[in-house]
Amino acid sequence: MPKSSKRTRQATAPDLAEEIEFDTSATILRVLSRQVLDSRGNPTVETDIWLRGGAMGRGTVPSGASTGVHEALELRDEKRSVYGGKSVLKAVANVNKQIGPKLLGRSTLEQESLDILMLKLDGTRNKSNLGANAILSVSMAVARAAAASQGVSLFRYLAKKKKYRLPVPMMNVINGGKHAGNNLAVQEFLIEPVGAKSYVEALRLGVEVYHTLKNILKEKYGSSSTNVGDEGGYAPPLEKTTDALESILQAIRNSGYDETFIKLGLDAASSSFYDPKTLTYQIDGKALTAGDLSDYYDMLTTTYPILTIEDPFAEDAFEDHAKITARLGKRVKIIGDDLYVTTPARIQKGIELKATNAVLIKLNQIGSVSETLEAIKISREARLAVAVSHRSGETEDTFISHLATAVESQFIKAGAPARGERTAKYNELIRIAEELGPEATYAGPNVI
């Protein structure tokens, strides 16, 4: 990498009279966006940024299947004859023709400033003008390029610390809901190796259970039961929530572990099985009221070693979330995903109502790195546990591995330990752990 070329400039803030050092090697020379494919074979936006000093950064945006109505807008062309309406050429053009020219000559070391510039250029609440996918691709590329210009890993650039805590992997091992073709209402059944001594050991434990589960499902339900869903979890022909939990528990025990070592998690994604007409939740062949569903969750968490429940109620049901958090929150992490959609204002509302004791963070729900970091800051100040998450339509981009490390999230949710777009995140954390050496601790023992 060429040596940094530095000069000074007058500070623009009115209360700062002194001159500040400005690294010209970090200034943006070129911005180029393109359409690429995500893990479901759908188009998504990828942006590259080149800097004057020779560094380069790339951001590739994921896409969700189970999306909250309050998420920032993912701009698609909706031309049915091209990729079935899912092409993102408008978003790509917005980067190349509108955003890119505005960033030339600006420093990537000013992440928040550049993100604000893009938000103002868009001018809408949900980024519907330029598209959250367009803005986020640039925002991620800016951070990557800035880190490269400084010669440090992305996680070190996002947060400078003496030691870093690596997250507990939340591995989706059985898929249901919108992620599979079976009759399970609950969208994801997860394993969480909290008893491991390190992240690397936790990953190994999860992989062992995942492969053991495959053998169990194959023996019980036949070879087709080990086909995988969008996130790499198996999609067996199960009918009831307890069927999935029993199979996973058996896999944990057959692998030589117990529930004190490996906990279970549910991503209910309950908006997907909520009927607003009858105000009931359609699960396990029954129509349950919010109160009945709360009783059901209570029974499940008493019977099984469940540590986390994500989106136990519909995406606007703040009061129902608050009731179950008050009921189960001392022993279970109630995680808000669709409830919050990584939006600071909605997270603040949840904090005031004590709606959850944990929050899921997804970059593309809000659409910029700065806003994501603000959402995490608000959550941590309120002592909410943080889980950094992938999406069902993923890419090989490993940004979330660095984000989870930088903010020391308690969890990282990246799918099963299978499929390249999922293992890319887990493998990057192996590399991060290797780089950190003794500087790395593991979140597992402290999340219970």
Side-chain angles (χ1 to χ4, degrees), residues 286-304:
K286 299 177 181 179
L288 302 181
T289 65
D292 292 336
L293 185 57
S294 181
D295 290 341
Y296 186 53
Y297 289 135
D298 196 348
M299 182 278 291
L300 290 175
T301 57
T302 301
T303 308
Y304 300 96

mmCIF file of all heavy atoms in Angstrom, residues 286-304:
data_model
loop_
_atom_site.group_PDB
_atom_site.id
_atom_site.type_symbol
_atom_site.label_atom_id
_atom_site.label_comp_id
_atom_site.label_asym_id
_atom_site.label_seq_id
_atom_site.Cartn_x
_atom_site.Cartn_y
_atom_site.Cartn_z
ATOM 1 N N LYS A 286 -53.113 -25.287 15.834
ATOM 2 C CA LYS A 286 -54.061 -24.617 16.728
ATOM 3 C C LYS A 286 -54.073 -23.116 16.476
ATOM 4 O O LYS A 286 -53.116 -22.557 15.938
ATOM 5 C CB LYS A 286 -53.674 -24.884 18.193
ATOM 6 C CG LYS A 286 -53.685 -26.353 18.592
ATOM 7 C CD LYS A 286 -53.225 -26.508 20.028
ATOM 8 C CE LYS A 286 -53.200 -27.976 20.441
ATOM 9 N NZ LYS A 286 -52.722 -28.140 21.842
ATOM 10 N N ALA A 287 -55.156 -22.480 16.862
ATOM 11 C CA ALA A 287 -55.270 -21.026 16.805
ATOM 12 C C ALA A 287 -55.181 -20.502 18.236
ATOM 13 O O ALA A 287 -56.114 -20.692 19.027
ATOM 14 C CB ALA A 287 -56.582 -20.613 16.157
ATOM 15 N N LEU A 288 -54.076 -19.870 18.572
ATOM 16 C CA LEU A 288 -53.840 -19.432 19.944
ATOM 17 C C LEU A 288 -53.938 -17.918 20.073
ATOM 18 O O LEU A 288 -53.444 -17.173 19.221
ATOM 19 C CB LEU A 288 -52.446 -19.870 20.404
ATOM 20 C CG LEU A 288 -52.127 -21.372 20.360
ATOM 21 C CD1 LEU A 288 -50.716 -21.618 20.884
ATOM 22 C CD2 LEU A 288 -53.140 -22.170 21.158
ATOM 23 N N THR A 289 -54.566 -17.462 21.149
ATOM 24 C CA THR A 289 -54.541 -16.042 21.466
ATOM 25 C C THR A 289 -53.144 -15.683 21.962
ATOM 26 O O THR A 289 -52.320 -16.572 22.248
ATOM 27 C CB THR A 289 -55.562 -15.704 22.557
ATOM 28 O OG1 THR A 289 -55.166 -16.379 23.772
ATOM 29 C CG2 THR A 289 -56.970 -16.146 22.154
ATOM 30 N N ALA A 290 -52.877 -14.391 22.118
ATOM 31 C CA ALA A 290 -51.572 -13.974 22.624
ATOM 32 C C ALA A 290 -51.322 -14.561 24.008
ATOM 33 O O ALA A 290 -50.208 -15.001 24.323
ATOM 34 C CB ALA A 290 -51.489 -12.458 22.668
ATOM 35 N N GLY A 291 -52.353 -14.611 24.832
ATOM 36 C CA GLY A 291 -52.208 -15.186 26.166
ATOM 37 C C GLY A 291 -51.918 -16.675 26.117
ATOM 38 O O GLY A 291 -51.070 -17.183 26.857
ATOM 39 N N ASP A 292 -52.629 -17.377 25.224
ATOM 40 C CA ASP A 292 -52.394 -18.813 25.070
ATOM 41 C C ASP A 292 -50.982 -19.083 24.554
ATOM 42 O O ASP A 292 -50.315 -20.025 24.999
ATOM 43 C CB ASP A 292 -53.404 -19.415 24.083
ATOM 44 C CG ASP A 292 -54.827 -19.415 24.618
ATOM 45 O OD1 ASP A 292 -54.993 -19.393 25.852
ATOM 46 O OD2 ASP A 292 -55.769 -19.411 23.799
ATOM 47 N N LEU A 293 -50.534 -18.242 23.620
ATOM 48 C CA LEU A 293 -49.195 -18.426 23.064
ATOM 49 C C LEU A 293 -48.135 -18.164 24.126
ATOM 50 O O LEU A 293 -47.110 -18.856 24.186
ATOM 51 C CB LEU A 293 -48.995 -17.497 21.863
ATOM 52 C CG LEU A 293 -47.686 -17.660 21.088
ATOM 53 C CD1 LEU A 293 -47.508 -19.089 20.584
ATOM 54 C CD2 LEU A 293 -47.623 -16.672 19.919
ATOM 55 N N SER A 294 -48.381 -17.197 24.994
ATOM 56 C CA SER A 294 -47.463 -16.921 26.093
ATOM 57 C C SER A 294 -47.354 -18.134 27.019
ATOM 58 O O SER A 294 -46.254 -18.511 27.440
ATOM 59 C CB SER A 294 -47.937 -15.695 26.888
ATOM 60 O OG SER A 294 -47.045 -15.402 27.942
ATOM 61 N N ASP A 295 -48.496 -18.762 27.302
ATOM 62 C CA ASP A 295 -48.491 -19.983 28.116
ATOM 63 C C ASP A 295 -47.686 -21.089 27.417
ATOM 64 O O ASP A 295 -46.966 -21.851 28.067
ATOM 65 C CB ASP A 295 -49.922 -20.471 28.353
ATOM 66 C CG ASP A 295 -50.715 -19.554 29.275
ATOM 67 O OD1 ASP A 295 -50.096 -18.763 30.009
ATOM 68 O OD2 ASP A 295 -51.962 -19.633 29.245
ATOM 69 N N TYR A 296 -47.836 -21.162 26.099
ATOM 70 C CA TYR A 296 -47.136 -22.188 25.325
ATOM 71 C C TYR A 296 -45.624 -21.982 25.399
ATOM 72 O O TYR A 296 -44.859 -22.925 25.623
ATOM 73 C CB TYR A 296 -47.618 -22.159 23.878
ATOM 74 C CG TYR A 296 -47.071 -23.270 23.007
ATOM 75 C CD1 TYR A 296 -47.171 -24.598 23.389
ATOM 76 C CD2 TYR A 296 -46.448 -23.000 21.797
ATOM 77 C CE1 TYR A 296 -46.674 -25.629 22.601
ATOM 78 C CE2 TYR A 296 -45.948 -24.010 20.993
ATOM 79 C CZ TYR A 296 -46.063 -25.321 21.405
ATOM 80 O OH TYR A 296 -45.569 -26.338 20.629
ATOM 81 N N TYR A 297 -45.190 -20.721 25.243
ATOM 82 C CA TYR A 297 -43.760 -20.430 25.356
ATOM 83 C C TYR A 297 -43.248 -20.763 26.754
ATOM 84 O O TYR A 297 -42.127 -21.264 26.917
ATOM 85 C CB TYR A 297 -43.489 -18.956 25.049
ATOM 86 C CG TYR A 297 -43.646 -18.557 23.604
ATOM 87 C CD1 TYR A 297 -44.334 -17.381 23.259
ATOM 88 C CD2 TYR A 297 -43.101 -19.313 22.572
ATOM 89 C CE1 TYR A 297 -44.468 -16.993 21.932
ATOM 90 C CE2 TYR A 297 -43.227 -18.932 21.246
ATOM 91 C CZ TYR A 297 -43.918 -17.776 20.932
ATOM 92 O OH TYR A 297 -44.061 -17.387 19.621
ATOM 93 N N ASP A 298 -44.046 -20.473 27.760
ATOM 94 C CA ASP A 298 -43.668 -20.779 29.135
ATOM 95 C C ASP A 298 -43.446 -22.281 29.299
ATOM 96 O O ASP A 298 -42.454 -22.729 29.894
ATOM 97 C CB ASP A 298 -44.760 -20.298 30.092
ATOM 98 C CG ASP A 298 -44.276 -20.238 31.538
ATOM 99 O OD1 ASP A 298 -43.190 -20.764 31.836
ATOM 100 O OD2 ASP A 298 -44.996 -19.676 32.377
ATOM 101 N N MET A 299 -44.372 -23.067 28.748
ATOM 102 C CA MET A 299 -44.235 -24.516 28.815
ATOM 103 C C MET A 299 -42.976 -24.994 28.095
ATOM 104 O O MET A 299 -42.217 -25.831 28.612
ATOM 105 C CB MET A 299 -45.471 -25.184 28.203
ATOM 106 C CG MET A 299 -45.464 -26.721 28.253
ATOM 107 S SD MET A 299 -44.513 -27.512 26.913
ATOM 108 C CE MET A 299 -45.557 -27.132 25.495
ATOM 109 N N LEU A 300 -42.718 -24.438 26.896
ATOM 110 C CA LEU A 300 -41.547 -24.853 26.124
ATOM 111 C C LEU A 300 -40.251 -24.537 26.854
ATOM 112 O O LEU A 300 -39.321 -25.359 26.901
ATOM 113 C CB LEU A 300 -41.550 -24.165 24.756
ATOM 114 C CG LEU A 300 -42.609 -24.610 23.746
ATOM 115 C CD1 LEU A 300 -42.537 -23.749 22.492
ATOM 116 C CD2 LEU A 300 -42.448 -26.090 23.379
ATOM 117 N N THR A 301 -40.175 -23.351 27.449
ATOM 118 C CA THR A 301 -38.931 -22.949 28.116
ATOM 119 C C THR A 301 -38.746 -23.661 29.447
ATOM 120 O O THR A 301 -37.626 -23.730 29.962
ATOM 121 C CB THR A 301 -38.898 -21.427 28.352
ATOM 122 O OG1 THR A 301 -40.038 -21.028 29.119
ATOM 123 C CG2 THR A 301 -38.898 -20.676 27.035
ATOM 124 N N THR A 302 -39.820 -24.192 30.002
ATOM 125 C CA THR A 302 -39.722 -24.992 31.220
ATOM 126 C C THR A 302 -39.291 -26.419 30.892
ATOM 127 O O THR A 302 -38.538 -27.056 31.635
ATOM 128 C CB THR A 302 -41.073 -25.029 31.959
ATOM 129 O OG1 THR A 302 -41.473 -23.693 32.280
ATOM 130 C CG2 THR A 302 -40.964 -25.830 33.252
ATOM 131 N N THR A 303 -39.737 -26.910 29.738
ATOM 132 C CA THR A 303 -39.477 -28.297 29.338
ATOM 133 C C THR A 303 -38.133 -28.461 28.651
ATOM 134 O O THR A 303 -37.461 -29.489 28.807
ATOM 135 C CB THR A 303 -40.589 -28.798 28.398
ATOM 136 O OG1 THR A 303 -41.862 -28.563 29.002
ATOM 137 C CG2 THR A 303 -40.444 -30.278 28.093
ATOM 138 N N TYR A 304 -37.735 -27.462 27.874
ATOM 139 C CA TYR A 304 -36.518 -27.554 27.065
ATOM 140 C C TYR A 304 -35.525 -26.458 27.457
ATOM 141 O O TYR A 304 -35.929 -25.389 27.945
ATOM 142 C CB TYR A 304 -36.860 -27.430 25.576
ATOM 143 C CG TYR A 304 -37.790 -28.512 25.089
ATOM 144 C CD1 TYR A 304 -39.171 -28.287 25.015
ATOM 145 C CD2 TYR A 304 -37.307 -29.757 24.716
ATOM 146 C CE1 TYR A 304 -40.038 -29.280 24.568
ATOM 147 C CE2 TYR A 304 -38.166 -30.760 24.275
ATOM 148 C CZ TYR A 304 -39.528 -30.522 24.207
ATOM 149 O OH TYR A 304 -40.373 -31.502 23.777
#
